[in-house]
Amino acid sequence: MNQITMRVLKTVEEMQLVQQLEQTVWGMEAIPVHQTLTAVKNGGLIIGAFDEEKLVGFSYGFAGYQNNEAYLCSHMLGIHPDYQLQGIGKKLKEEQLVVAKEMGYKLITWTFDPLESRNAYLNVSKLYGIVDTYIENCYGEMTGGINAGLPTDRLQIEWWITSDRVEKKWMPSNIIFDNPFQTALTEQNLPILEEPESFDPTHKGYEVPVPQQFQVMKKISPETALQWRLQIRKIIQTLFSKGYALVAVRKTDEPVNYYQFVQRSTIPIQTEEN
């Protein structure tokens, strides 16, 4: 692979390249050029990753506004299948952070599937975002592409790009994470979750197992994938309702990774400027 370069995209021709890559990555109809072009002219931001002149990745965000504050809503991040698992996604987010700061943003948000632990690892363990919002069936039922067949539940990331959590790479320390959840394997060697009879979180931190290969699971056993969806929905919503937030992912050699949760009040997301 040649050296990957990053640049902000602004032209109609560049928006058309994004469209083509979007269709390749997700296998569904792309966002119209008139929409992405209008977004980047009004506080939005699209960054492209290039291998020479070939667009191999992009991040797309538009301006959002809530609670008297403007923020960048990072709606899509896509990497060409031939270039995945090479760190390009992380580089795109790091460039997004730099440019968003220059534009005056302090917060970037986006969503991801709660059962895509690879995405979660990037979002919270590498980029130092935090999560305490669970959205059930965020985009409704999808009939095509990689999201077909399951409720489109999403976790919403808060990336406070000027906070100590991000700038000082803060992680919880001296916490023994409680894990009341057990897993087993099916005859197809797929992990299943065995829940405790009751779950009333009171410890400083918790670990929750999630499958390592959710897309593979969806293809082999949609029923098992749906069971995970509904179980994890209930567990994470319980943690969020008790004031916890997702801050890290512990990767393993097992069929599952582990999401780590601590009380949101212990996370340094505010700065002196705030």
Side-chain angles (χ1 to χ4, degrees), residues 178-182 193-203 206-208 231 234-235 238-239 242:
D178 188 54
N179 180 8
F181 309 101
Q182 302 297 317
L193 180 62
E194 299 176 348
E195 297 180 63
E197 291 185 4
S198 62
F199 179 48
D200 184 19
T202 57
H203 291 269
Y206 282 90
E207 286 194 333
V208 176
Q231 288 176 304
K234 181 173 66 174
I235 292 166
T238 298
L239 285 162
K242 297 291 186 176

Side-chain angles (χ1 to χ4, degrees), residues 188-226:
Q188 298 166 304
N189 285 321
L190 297 174
I192 55 174
L193 180 62
E194 299 176 348
E195 297 180 63
E197 291 185 4
S198 62
F199 179 48
D200 184 19
T202 57
H203 291 269
K204 290 184 178 180
Y206 282 90
E207 286 194 333
V208 176
V210 290
Q212 283 211 30
Q213 300 292 336
F214 187 54
Q215 291 302 322
V216 173
M217 177 183 290
K218 286 169 63 175
K219 293 178 181 178
I220 296 175
S221 176
E223 297 82 6
T224 303
L226 178 59

Side-chain angles (χ1 to χ4, degrees), residues 83-236:
Y83 289 79
Q84 292 177 2
L85 301 178
Q86 298 180 25
I88 296 174
K90 184 172 184 287
K91 291 179 180 178
L92 278 166
K93 297 303 292 186
E94 290 171 343
E95 184 68 14
Q96 184 185 58
L97 179 150
V98 170
V99 179
K101 276 187 178 180
E102 293 172 352
M103 296 171 70
Y105 288 114
K106 296 179 180 179
L107 172 64
I108 302 175
T109 70
W110 65 93
T111 62
F112 68 97
D113 190 315
L115 292 172
E116 293 289 356
S117 59
R118 187 175 71 185
N119 291 348
Y121 181 75
L122 169 64
N123 292 336
V124 296
S125 289
K126 291 294 186 180
L127 299 177
Y128 302 95
I130 66 169
V131 184
D132 69 352
T133 300
Y134 194 107
I135 308 170
E136 290 188 24
N137 208 20
C138 180
Y139 301 114
E141 299 292 336
M142 293 187 176
T143 58
I146 64 175
N147 294 308
L150 283 177
T152 52
D153 289 15
R154 293 293 183 267
L155 292 174
Q156 180 170 296
I157 282 278
E158 294 178 14
W159 200 23
W160 294 94
I161 57 177
T162 62
S163 70
D164 285 350
R165 159 71 170 164
V166 174
E167 293 190 339
K168 297 183 179 180
K169 299 177 170 56
W170 181 91
M171 281 290 189
S173 58
N174 301 319
I175 289 182
I176 298 175
F177 290 93
D178 188 54
N179 180 8
F181 309 101
Q182 302 297 317
T183 60
L185 292 178
T186 68
E187 294 180 354
Q188 298 166 304
N189 285 321
L190 297 174
I192 55 174
L193 180 62
E194 299 176 348
E195 297 180 63
E197 291 185 4
S198 62
F199 179 48
D200 184 19
T202 57
H203 291 269
K204 290 184 178 180
Y206 282 90
E207 286 194 333
V208 176
V210 290
Q212 283 211 30
Q213 300 292 336
F214 187 54
Q215 291 302 322
V216 173
M217 177 183 290
K218 286 169 63 175
K219 293 178 181 178
I220 296 175
S221 176
E223 297 82 6
T224 303
L226 178 59
Q227 183 180 9
W228 271 100
R229 171 71 84 222
L230 299 178
Q231 288 176 304
I232 288 298
R233 175 191 289 178
K234 181 173 66 174
I235 292 166
I236 293 181

Side-chain angles (χ1 to χ4, degrees), residues 13 33 41 87 205 264:
E13 292 76 18
V33 166
K41 290 181 177 180
R264 179 187 170 103

Side-chain angles (χ1 to χ4, degrees), residues 9-20 33 37 55:
L9 308 183
K10 297 180 179 180
T11 69
V12 170
E13 292 76 18
E14 290 169 334
M15 300 302 109
Q16 291 170 340
L17 291 177
V18 171
Q19 266 197 328
Q20 295 167 15
V33 166
L37 189 64
L55 181 69

